[in-house]
């Protein structure tokens, strides 16, 4: 079974620029999650999709972050404009169903803001 | 918000010794999960224990859950260098949303 794919692995941008991350979940997984992980901390959920609908985006800074999951498969997360505090690893995860099931993670995108 | 709090924050032991890390949480849960994260990689699910279970085993891993104390422990027996990683607990609340702790960094010395 192929795992969760994310790209790019690393990204360096200047503050106020925009950036986008891509995620391809495990085939057949209906639930997709985007997390932000700051160094030394646990993951923080940004947004959760069930198929192509949003289940939870309560911690997504909607003035600068956006996410979509077209056709209920791939997903993109965008930041525009980026701030220094957005420096973090952005992790994508998927699970077959949403109900507290084990999540499968990609290796993440490490974002550095200069 | 973070519910799980792992203890200790960091642990360094000799290869072959057992490693124990703990997780405490605040609200009622449906299940509790442990994950491992190697440096620069994503998290890997290790074990899930439901609220009505008290103990689970998987290979060299043993997880206990005490809902009266709102705590869980992860025991890794006969540690190996490859066990060096950060370990996170995550609790599934009444809405089945996972809430994550800050992790325990485990270093196995050869």
């Amino acid at each position: 079974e192929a795992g969760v794919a994310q790209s790019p692995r690393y990204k360096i941008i200047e503050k106020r620029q925009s950036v986008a991350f891509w995620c391809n979940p495990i085939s057949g997984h209906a639930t997709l999650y985007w997390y932000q992980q700051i160094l030394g901390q646990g993951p923080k959920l940004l947004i959760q999709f069930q198929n192509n609908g949003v289940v939870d985006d309560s911690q997504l800074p909607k003035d600068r972050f956006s996410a979509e999951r077209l056709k209920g498969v791939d997903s993109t997360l965008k930041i525009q404009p980026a701030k220094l505090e957005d420096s973090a690893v952005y992790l994508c995860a998927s699970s077959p169903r949403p109900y507290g099931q084990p999540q499968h993670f990609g290796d993440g995108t490490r974002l550095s803001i200069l | 918000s973070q519910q799980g709090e792992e203890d200790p924050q960091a642990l360094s032991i000799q290869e072959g010794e057992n490693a124990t890390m703990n997780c405490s949480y605040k609200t009622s849960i449906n299940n509790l999960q442990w994950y491992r994260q190697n440096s620069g990689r994503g998290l890997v699910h290790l074990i899930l224990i439901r609220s009505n279970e008290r103990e689970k085993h998987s290979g060299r891993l043993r997880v206990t859950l005490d809902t009266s104390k709102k705590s869980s422990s992860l025991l890794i027996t006969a540690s190996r260098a490859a066990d060096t990683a950060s370990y996170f607990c995550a609790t599934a609340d009444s809405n089945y949303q996972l809430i994550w702790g800050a992790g325990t960094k485990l270093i196995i010395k050869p």
Side-chain angles (χ1 to χ4, degrees), chain A residues 24 45-46 54 60-61 81 89 99:
Chain A
N24 181 239
L45 179 68
L46 294 175
V54 175
L60 186 74
V89 175
Y99 305 111

Side-chain angles (χ1 to χ4, degrees), chain A residues 9 35 37 40-43 45 48 55-56 59 91 98-103 105-107 110, chain B residues 1-2 31 33 35 37 40-45 48 88 92 95-98 100-103:
Chain A
R9 285 283 280 131
Y35 289 94
Q37 186 178 27
Q41 298 183 16
L45 179 68
Q48 177 183 339
V55 173
D56 183 357
Q59 297 194 87
L91 295 163
Y99 305 111
Q101 291 199 323
Q103 298 180 13
F105 284 79
D107 283 338
R110 183 175 296 276
Chain B
S1 62
Q2 290 191 325
N31 67 56
Q33 303 176 32
Y35 288 77
Q37 185 176 35
R41 304 297 300 272
L43 288 86
V44 175
H45 179 262
L48 180 154
F88 294 89
N95 295 317
Y96 289 100
Q97 297 299 321
L98 279 192
W100 298 81

Side-chain angles (χ1 to χ4, degrees), chain B residues 90-106:
Chain B
T91 51
D93 65 13
S94 56
N95 295 317
Y96 289 100
Q97 297 299 321
L98 279 192
I99 304 173
W100 298 81
T104 291
K105 188 168 185 177
L106 175 65

Side-chain angles (χ1 to χ4, degrees), chain B residues 3-105:
Chain B
Q3 158 151 263
E5 292 186 9
E6 286 91 341
D7 170 57
Q9 289 187 321
L11 179 61
S12 180
I13 61 173
Q14 291 295 138
E15 193 168 18
E17 293 181 339
N18 295 341
T20 299
M21 53 205 88
N22 305 295
C23 171
S24 60
Y25 56 92
K26 299 187 179 93
T27 62
S28 61
I29 62 171
N30 280 295
N31 67 56
L32 185 146
Q33 303 176 32
W34 285 93
Y35 288 77
R36 183 188 75 235
Q37 185 176 35
N38 291 91
S39 181
R41 304 297 300 272
L43 288 86
V44 175
H45 179 262
L46 296 175
I47 201 162
L48 180 154
I49 187 165
R50 293 181 173 78
S51 59
N52 61 353
E53 297 175 313
R54 292 296 167 258
E55 188 170 311
K56 273 189 103 166
H57 297 255
S58 176
R60 295 184 295 114
L61 305 181
R62 172 179 170 249
V63 168
T64 60
L65 178 64
D66 187 334
T67 53
S68 67
K69 295 181 180 178
K70 291 187 169 61
S71 67
S72 173
S73 67
L74 170 67
L75 168 67
I76 304 174
T77 59
S79 63
R80 305 168 181 169
D83 295 328
T84 293
S86 291
Y87 291 81
F88 294 89
C89 72
T91 51
D93 65 13
S94 56
N95 295 317
Y96 289 100
Q97 297 299 321
L98 279 192
I99 304 173
W100 298 81
T104 291
K105 188 168 185 177

Side-chain angles (χ1 to χ4, degrees), chain A residues 51-64:
Chain A
N51 296 309
N52 60 353
V54 175
V55 173
D56 183 357
D57 64 357
S58 58
Q59 297 194 87
L60 186 74
K62 298 180 186 64
D63 58 334
R64 298 183 300 106

Side-chain angles (χ1 to χ4, degrees), chain A residues 32-101:
Chain A
L32 185 146
Y33 313 81
W34 282 103
Y35 289 94
Q36 180 192 60
Q37 186 178 27
I38 292 172
L39 188 64
Q41 298 183 16
K44 170 189 167 185
L45 179 68
L46 294 175
I47 190 167
Q48 177 183 339
F49 291 96
Q50 178 66 17
N51 296 309
N52 60 353
V54 175
V55 173
D56 183 357
D57 64 357
S58 58
Q59 297 194 87
L60 186 74
K62 298 180 186 64
D63 58 334
R64 298 183 300 106
F65 285 64
S66 64
E68 61 181 7
R69 189 183 185 195
L70 299 176
K71 301 181 181 178
V73 182
D74 292 7
S75 178
T76 56
L77 176 70
K78 295 179 182 177
I79 308 175
Q80 182 180 12
K83 291 185 175 180
L84 292 175
E85 61 259 35
D86 298 332
S87 292
V89 175
Y90 290 85
L91 295 163
C92 178
S94 68
S95 63
R97 288 177 297 279
Y99 305 111
Q101 291 199 323

